[in-house]
Amino acid sequence: MKNELLKIGPFTIYGYGLMIAIGILAAYVMAEKRAKKNGLQEDLVFGLIIWCLFGGFAGAKVLYVITQFKDILEGGMDIIKLANGFVVYGGIIGGTLGGFLFCKYKKVDFLKYFDLAMPSVALAQAFGRIGCLLAGCCYGKETHAWYGITFHTSDLAPNGVKLVPTQIISSGLDFLLCGALLLFARRKKADGQVGALYLMLYSIGRFILEYYRGDLIRGSVGELSTSQFIAIFLFVAGAAVFAACGMRKQKQTTEI
C-alpha cells in the first residue's frame, strides 16, 4: 500500500486524495443521473454536492477536534490543522445539515434530495476507504488469519504486522450499502426513507466493524468506542426518521 502514487516536479499525487476525488466525482455523476430519472432539478445537484461537501468537511473536523480535545489541551495543536484528522460521523451529520440548508435556501423538498444524495454518499465513502487503505489510516487489529494485510512503509499503521483489513471491509460494505439503497429507492413508500435507511444500515455495519479496528487513538465512551457510541444515536435517529416519514405519507394519503 502506497499513498504517494506519483510525483510531478514539486507536486505529489496522493492515493488518499485521489480516491476522495474519484468518490466525489462518482457521487456527483450518480446523483445527477438519478435526479433526471426521478424528475428532480438536475441544475441543483452541483450546488447540493458543494454544500454537502463543505458541511461534511466542517463536521468531520469539528467532531475530530472534540474527540481529541484532551490532546489539544495538552499541546497537540497539530491536530487542528486542516490536513490532520477527520471523523466520518461528523462528516455525515455536517453534510446532512449542509444539504438541509441548501434545500431551505432553494425552497425545495429536503426529503426528496436527502433520498437522492445518500446512495451517492455511500458510493463516495466506498472509494474513500480505498484511499484509507493506501494511506494506512483506519487500520485493523493485529491478526494471524489468512486474510490479514501487512503494511511496510506506512506512517500511520503499524508496519510488519498482519492486520485485519478493515479498510477493504469498509469499502466493500459501502459499495453494498449503495446498491441496497438504490434497490430500496425503487420501492420506498415515502420520501426520506432512503436517507433514513442509510443512517440505520451504516450505523449497524460501523458498530460491528469497530470491534476489529486497531486505531484506538479515536477514544472511547465506557466500553464502547466513540464511533460505536455515536452509531447508537444515529441508528435511533434513522429509525425515527424512517417511521416519521412513513406516518407522514400515510396521513397525506388519508387526507386525500
Side-chain angles (χ1 to χ4, degrees), residues 195-224:
L197 184 63
Y198 165 89
L199 297 179
M200 290 189 288
L201 293 181
Y202 181 83
S203 297
I204 293 172
R206 183 62 186 269
F207 188 94
I208 296 172
L209 195 59
E210 279 293 299
Y211 286 112
Y212 301 94
R213 288 278 291 266
D215 47 342
L216 300 179
I217 190 175
R218 294 168 300 114
S220 61
V221 179
E223 295 297 320
L224 302 176

Side-chain angles (χ1 to χ4, degrees), residues 1 129 133 138-141 143 145-151 162-172 209 212-213:
M1 279 57 85
R129 288 304 185 187
L133 176 67
C138 307
Y139 54 87
K141 292 183 176 179
T143 182
W146 61 267
Y147 53 77
I149 59 174
T150 304
F151 291 89
K162 289 182 69 174
L163 305 172
V164 177
T166 48
Q167 305 98 327
I168 299 174
I169 297 171
S170 294
S171 179
L209 195 59
Y212 301 94
R213 288 278 291 266

Side-chain angles (χ1 to χ4, degrees), residues 170-193:
S170 294
S171 179
L173 289 176
D174 285 329
F175 278 122
L176 288 174
L177 176 57
C178 176
L181 293 176
L182 291 175
L183 288 175
F184 178 75
R186 301 174 184 175
R187 301 169 176 81
K188 68 175 183 177
K189 296 182 178 180
D191 292 330
Q193 289 187 329

Side-chain angles (χ1 to χ4, degrees), residues 1-255:
M1 279 57 85
K2 184 178 180 182
N3 195 29
E4 293 186 8
L5 298 181
L6 180 65
K7 283 191 175 183
I8 305 175
F11 300 101
T12 302
I13 297 178
Y14 292 96
Y16 183 80
L18 178 62
M19 288 299 109
I20 293 294
I22 291 175
I24 292 172
L25 179 60
Y28 170 72
V29 171
M30 174 187 283
E32 190 173 54
K33 288 184 176 180
R34 293 186 64 239
K36 182 178 181 179
K37 182 178 179 181
N38 292 294
L40 300 178
Q41 299 181 52
E42 296 174 67
D43 58 323
L44 295 183
V45 173
F46 182 76
L48 177 66
I49 293 292
I50 296 299
W51 280 57
C52 288
L53 281 176
F54 276 104
F57 179 86
K61 172 55 69 175
V62 168
L63 189 54
Y64 181 79
V65 170
I66 292 174
T67 60
Q68 300 299 314
F69 192 66
K70 181 179 179 181
D71 291 334
I72 294 174
L73 292 178
E74 293 176 355
M77 295 303 293
D78 283 346
I79 290 175
I80 63 176
K81 291 181 179 179
L82 290 180
N84 291 347
F86 300 94
V87 174
V88 169
Y89 278 126
I92 294 172
I93 296 169
T96 301
L97 178 59
F100 175 78
L101 294 175
F102 175 80
C103 291
K104 284 293 183 182
Y105 174 67
K106 291 294 183 179
K107 296 181 174 59
V108 295
D109 188 343
F110 166 69
L111 292 178
K112 291 183 182 296
Y113 286 87
F114 184 43
D115 285 350
L116 174 70
M118 297 318 281
S120 290
V121 169
L123 181 62
Q125 287 178 311
F127 283 104
R129 288 304 185 187
I130 297 175
C132 291
L133 176 67
L134 295 173
C137 62
C138 307
Y139 54 87
K141 292 183 176 179
E142 183 176 351
T143 182
H144 297 291
W146 61 267
Y147 53 77
I149 59 174
T150 304
F151 291 89
H152 298 286
T153 58
S154 175
D155 294 328
L156 300 173
N159 291 303
V161 179
K162 289 182 69 174
L163 305 172
V164 177
T166 48
Q167 305 98 327
I168 299 174
I169 297 171
S170 294
S171 179
L173 289 176
D174 285 329
F175 278 122
L176 288 174
L177 176 57
C178 176
L181 293 176
L182 291 175
L183 288 175
F184 178 75
R186 301 174 184 175
R187 301 169 176 81
K188 68 175 183 177
K189 296 182 178 180
D191 292 330
Q193 289 187 329
V194 176
L197 184 63
Y198 165 89
L199 297 179
M200 290 189 288
L201 293 181
Y202 181 83
S203 297
I204 293 172
R206 183 62 186 269
F207 188 94
I208 296 172
L209 195 59
E210 279 293 299
Y211 286 112
Y212 301 94
R213 288 278 291 266
D215 47 342
L216 300 179
I217 190 175
R218 294 168 300 114
S220 61
V221 179
E223 295 297 320
L224 302 176
S225 72
T226 302
S227 292
Q228 286 177 317
F229 183 74
I230 297 173
I232 295 173
F233 290 95
L234 207 62
F235 177 86
V236 172
V241 172
F242 192 96
C245 289
M247 289 188 290
R248 176 173 175 256
K249 180 66 175 181
Q250 186 176 25
K251 182 179 179 182
Q252 290 175 339
T253 303
T254 303
E255 291 175 351

